[in-house]
Amino acid sequence: QVQLVESGGGLVQAGGSLRLSCAASGRTFSSYTMAWFRQAPGKEREFVAAIPRSVVKTFYADSVKGRFTISRDNAKNTVYLQMNSLKPEDTAIYYCAAKDGAYVYSNYDYWGQGTQVTVSS
């Protein structure tokens, strides 16, 4: 069982930056694939970024590629999402997710409660 707690959301102007954090409980954090998803009002939840346990390669949605960076610190049981050059269309609730598997784009087993990110124009 893994519990995930996100933090770092808030209100920022377009072009600004935020860093989201997701703290995970449990002793097997390093074995999980970690990801960020987001859900905007009236839209379905969508994949944003993922980092496998191997950390050899990271994965991003086309809409955030080049602006967002996902990273993890296994010693701190934490995954991060650095968000730069934010746009109003990035406004959403951002969720941290974890799974014990290799396919990064879906079928996550554990979810955080979400953190709100609002980007003003």
Side-chain angles (χ1 to χ4, degrees):
Q1 189 76 7
V2 177
Q3 292 186 327
L4 305 172
V5 180
E6 302 98 334
S7 61
L11 173 64
V12 64
Q13 289 188 334
S17 298
L18 282 175
R19 188 176 82 155
L20 305 183
S21 299
C22 173
S25 65
R27 294 176 291 178
T28 57
F29 173 81
S30 62
S31 69
Y32 285 98
T33 293
M34 301 298 298
W36 290 94
F37 287 74
R38 67 186 182 186
Q39 187 167 19
K43 295 187 177 180
E44 293 188 354
R45 187 162 55 190
E46 64 176 2
F47 171 83
V48 174
I51 184 166
R53 61 183 182 181
S54 66
V55 200
V56 173
K57 181 178 178 180
T58 51
F59 300 82
Y60 298 94
D62 288 343
S63 59
V64 307
K65 205 170 290 183
R67 299 188 298 122
F68 291 10
T69 302
I70 188 170
S71 61
R72 65 191 298 163
D73 185 338
N74 289 338
K76 295 182 178 180
N77 280 13
T78 301
V79 62
Y80 304 97
L81 185 68
Q82 178 66 45
M83 305 186 294
N84 299 328
S85 302
L86 283 161
K87 304 175 181 180
E89 52 263 43
D90 294 319
T91 295
I93 299 173
Y94 283 70
Y95 297 91
C96 177
K99 66 181 294 183
D100 185 15
Y103 185 71
V104 302
Y105 296 105
S106 63
N107 297 329
Y108 281 79
D109 301 308
Y110 306 103
W111 294 86
Q113 83 288 350
T115 185
Q116 176 71 48
V117 171
T118 303
V119 184
S120 63
S121 58

